[in-house]
mmCIF file of all heavy atoms in Angstrom:
data_model
loop_
_atom_site.group_PDB
_atom_site.id
_atom_site.type_symbol
_atom_site.label_atom_id
_atom_site.label_comp_id
_atom_site.label_asym_id
_atom_site.label_seq_id
_atom_site.Cartn_x
_atom_site.Cartn_y
_atom_site.Cartn_z
ATOM 1 N N THR A 507 9.066 29.303 -4.826
ATOM 2 C CA THR A 507 10.057 28.358 -5.347
ATOM 3 C C THR A 507 10.766 27.647 -4.193
ATOM 4 O O THR A 507 10.726 28.089 -3.039
ATOM 5 C CB THR A 507 11.115 29.075 -6.203
ATOM 6 O OG1 THR A 507 11.845 29.983 -5.354
ATOM 7 C CG2 THR A 507 10.474 29.838 -7.353
ATOM 8 N N VAL A 508 11.438 26.558 -4.543
ATOM 9 C CA VAL A 508 12.254 25.847 -3.553
ATOM 10 C C VAL A 508 13.318 26.793 -2.997
ATOM 11 O O VAL A 508 13.619 26.781 -1.791
ATOM 12 C CB VAL A 508 12.904 24.597 -4.174
ATOM 13 C CG1 VAL A 508 13.851 23.919 -3.186
ATOM 14 C CG2 VAL A 508 11.835 23.611 -4.648
ATOM 15 N N GLU A 509 13.873 27.645 -3.867
ATOM 16 C CA GLU A 509 14.882 28.599 -3.399
ATOM 17 C C GLU A 509 14.300 29.561 -2.374
ATOM 18 O O GLU A 509 14.957 29.891 -1.368
ATOM 19 C CB GLU A 509 15.472 29.378 -4.573
ATOM 20 C CG GLU A 509 16.573 30.342 -4.170
ATOM 21 C CD GLU A 509 17.258 31.013 -5.346
ATOM 22 O OE1 GLU A 509 17.219 30.447 -6.469
ATOM 23 O OE2 GLU A 509 17.831 32.098 -5.139
ATOM 24 N N GLU A 510 13.070 30.008 -2.604
ATOM 25 C CA GLU A 510 12.426 30.889 -1.624
ATOM 26 C C GLU A 510 12.241 30.175 -0.289
ATOM 27 O O GLU A 510 12.394 30.784 0.784
ATOM 28 C CB GLU A 510 11.076 31.369 -2.152
ATOM 29 C CG GLU A 510 11.154 32.370 -3.288
ATOM 30 C CD GLU A 510 9.773 32.751 -3.787
ATOM 31 O OE1 GLU A 510 9.157 33.642 -3.175
ATOM 32 O OE2 GLU A 510 9.311 32.161 -4.774
ATOM 33 N N PHE A 511 11.909 28.892 -0.347
ATOM 34 C CA PHE A 511 11.759 28.104 0.882
ATOM 35 C C PHE A 511 13.104 28.027 1.611
ATOM 36 O O PHE A 511 13.172 28.159 2.836
ATOM 37 C CB PHE A 511 11.242 26.700 0.557
ATOM 38 C CG PHE A 511 10.687 25.966 1.747
ATOM 39 C CD1 PHE A 511 9.327 25.881 1.961
ATOM 40 C CD2 PHE A 511 11.541 25.352 2.670
ATOM 41 C CE1 PHE A 511 8.817 25.207 3.061
ATOM 42 C CE2 PHE A 511 11.050 24.677 3.773
ATOM 43 C CZ PHE A 511 9.680 24.612 3.982
ATOM 44 N N LEU A 512 14.172 27.826 0.842
ATOM 45 C CA LEU A 512 15.511 27.788 1.426
ATOM 46 C C LEU A 512 15.855 29.101 2.113
ATOM 47 O O LEU A 512 16.376 29.117 3.239
ATOM 48 C CB LEU A 512 16.547 27.500 0.337
ATOM 49 C CG LEU A 512 16.675 26.063 -0.153
ATOM 50 C CD1 LEU A 512 17.525 26.018 -1.424
ATOM 51 C CD2 LEU A 512 17.292 25.174 0.922
ATOM 52 N N VAL A 513 15.613 30.210 1.434
ATOM 53 C CA VAL A 513 15.907 31.529 1.989
ATOM 54 C C VAL A 513 15.185 31.715 3.319
ATOM 55 O O VAL A 513 15.769 32.169 4.316
ATOM 56 C CB VAL A 513 15.511 32.644 0.996
ATOM 57 C CG1 VAL A 513 15.589 34.015 1.666
ATOM 58 C CG2 VAL A 513 16.396 32.595 -0.237
ATOM 59 N N GLU A 514 13.907 31.372 3.335
ATOM 60 C CA GLU A 514 13.097 31.559 4.537
ATOM 61 C C GLU A 514 13.558 30.642 5.674
ATOM 62 O O GLU A 514 13.685 31.078 6.829
ATOM 63 C CB GLU A 514 11.629 31.292 4.213
ATOM 64 C CG GLU A 514 10.656 31.763 5.274
ATOM 65 C CD GLU A 514 10.591 33.271 5.391
ATOM 66 O OE1 GLU A 514 10.816 33.973 4.397
ATOM 67 O OE2 GLU A 514 10.308 33.753 6.520
ATOM 68 N N ALA A 515 13.814 29.369 5.353
ATOM 69 C CA ALA A 515 14.168 28.394 6.379
ATOM 70 C C ALA A 515 15.547 28.676 6.978
ATOM 71 O O ALA A 515 15.715 28.740 8.207
ATOM 72 C CB ALA A 515 14.113 26.983 5.798
ATOM 73 N N PHE A 516 16.537 28.841 6.129
ATOM 74 C CA PHE A 516 17.881 29.115 6.631
ATOM 75 C C PHE A 516 17.944 30.497 7.290
ATOM 76 O O PHE A 516 18.626 30.684 8.305
ATOM 77 C CB PHE A 516 18.905 29.007 5.497
ATOM 78 C CG PHE A 516 19.387 27.607 5.242
ATOM 79 C CD1 PHE A 516 18.687 26.761 4.393
ATOM 80 C CD2 PHE A 516 20.535 27.125 5.846
ATOM 81 C CE1 PHE A 516 19.117 25.470 4.149
ATOM 82 C CE2 PHE A 516 20.992 25.829 5.614
ATOM 83 C CZ PHE A 516 20.276 24.998 4.760
ATOM 84 N N GLY A 517 17.234 31.460 6.700
ATOM 85 C CA GLY A 517 17.225 32.803 7.264
ATOM 86 C C GLY A 517 16.647 32.834 8.668
ATOM 87 O O GLY A 517 17.145 33.554 9.544
ATOM 88 N N TYR A 518 15.593 32.072 8.900
ATOM 89 C CA TYR A 518 14.986 32.036 10.230
ATOM 90 C C TYR A 518 15.973 31.518 11.270
ATOM 91 O O TYR A 518 15.945 31.943 12.428
ATOM 92 C CB TYR A 518 13.729 31.155 10.218
ATOM 93 C CG TYR A 518 13.024 31.135 11.548
ATOM 94 C CD1 TYR A 518 12.253 32.223 11.953
ATOM 95 C CD2 TYR A 518 13.151 30.052 12.412
ATOM 96 C CE1 TYR A 518 11.623 32.227 13.191
ATOM 97 C CE2 TYR A 518 12.527 30.053 13.650
ATOM 98 C CZ TYR A 518 11.768 31.143 14.038
ATOM 99 O OH TYR A 518 11.159 31.158 15.276
ATOM 100 N N ALA A 519 16.865 30.610 10.845
ATOM 101 C CA ALA A 519 17.868 30.051 11.763
ATOM 102 C C ALA A 519 19.157 30.861 11.773
ATOM 103 O O ALA A 519 20.153 30.459 12.387
ATOM 104 C CB ALA A 519 18.169 28.604 11.375
ATOM 105 N N GLY A 520 19.158 32.019 11.084
ATOM 106 C CA GLY A 520 20.314 32.893 11.088
ATOM 107 C C GLY A 520 21.454 32.396 10.220
ATOM 108 O O GLY A 520 22.635 32.692 10.506
ATOM 109 N N MET A 521 21.133 31.692 9.138
ATOM 110 C CA MET A 521 22.167 31.151 8.259
ATOM 111 C C MET A 521 21.875 31.523 6.812
ATOM 112 O O MET A 521 20.754 31.910 6.467
ATOM 113 C CB MET A 521 22.238 29.619 8.403
ATOM 114 C CG MET A 521 22.620 29.133 9.797
ATOM 115 S SD MET A 521 22.836 27.327 9.868
ATOM 116 C CE MET A 521 21.135 26.766 9.646
ATOM 117 N N ASP A 522 22.894 31.384 5.958
ATOM 118 C CA ASP A 522 22.761 31.621 4.519
ATOM 119 C C ASP A 522 22.757 30.270 3.818
ATOM 120 O O ASP A 522 23.718 29.499 3.918
ATOM 121 C CB ASP A 522 23.934 32.474 4.022
ATOM 122 C CG ASP A 522 23.777 32.899 2.559
ATOM 123 O OD1 ASP A 522 22.988 32.268 1.827
ATOM 124 O OD2 ASP A 522 24.467 33.850 2.152
ATOM 125 N N TRP A 523 21.683 29.997 3.087
ATOM 126 C CA TRP A 523 21.552 28.691 2.457
ATOM 127 C C TRP A 523 22.663 28.418 1.449
ATOM 128 O O TRP A 523 23.058 27.264 1.243
ATOM 129 C CB TRP A 523 20.193 28.555 1.774
ATOM 130 C CG TRP A 523 19.996 29.432 0.558
ATOM 131 C CD1 TRP A 523 19.534 30.702 0.530
ATOM 132 C CD2 TRP A 523 20.275 29.080 -0.797
ATOM 133 N NE1 TRP A 523 19.483 31.181 -0.760
ATOM 134 C CE2 TRP A 523 19.932 30.204 -1.597
ATOM 135 C CE3 TRP A 523 20.762 27.935 -1.425
ATOM 136 C CZ2 TRP A 523 20.074 30.207 -2.982
ATOM 137 C CZ3 TRP A 523 20.902 27.931 -2.804
ATOM 138 C CH2 TRP A 523 20.571 29.051 -3.569
ATOM 139 N N LYS A 524 23.199 29.459 0.842
ATOM 140 C CA LYS A 524 24.228 29.287 -0.179
ATOM 141 C C LYS A 524 25.527 28.701 0.390
ATOM 142 O O LYS A 524 26.343 28.154 -0.357
ATOM 143 C CB LYS A 524 24.518 30.620 -0.861
ATOM 144 C CG LYS A 524 23.346 31.158 -1.669
ATOM 145 C CD LYS A 524 23.667 32.500 -2.310
ATOM 146 C CE LYS A 524 22.474 33.036 -3.095
ATOM 147 N NZ LYS A 524 22.751 34.372 -3.689
ATOM 148 N N ASP A 525 25.687 28.793 1.706
ATOM 149 C CA ASP A 525 26.876 28.231 2.339
ATOM 150 C C ASP A 525 26.765 26.721 2.533
ATOM 151 O O ASP A 525 27.764 26.072 2.870
ATOM 152 C CB ASP A 525 27.114 28.884 3.707
ATOM 153 C CG ASP A 525 27.436 30.360 3.599
ATOM 154 O OD1 ASP A 525 27.961 30.780 2.547
ATOM 155 O OD2 ASP A 525 27.144 31.096 4.567
#
Side-chain angles (χ1 to χ4, degrees):
T507 64
V508 175
E509 183 174 337
E510 289 178 84
F511 197 101
L512 283 168
V513 170
E514 194 68 29
F516 275 86
Y518 183 76
M521 298 185 291
D522 187 341
W523 68 272
K524 294 179 181 178
D525 295 334

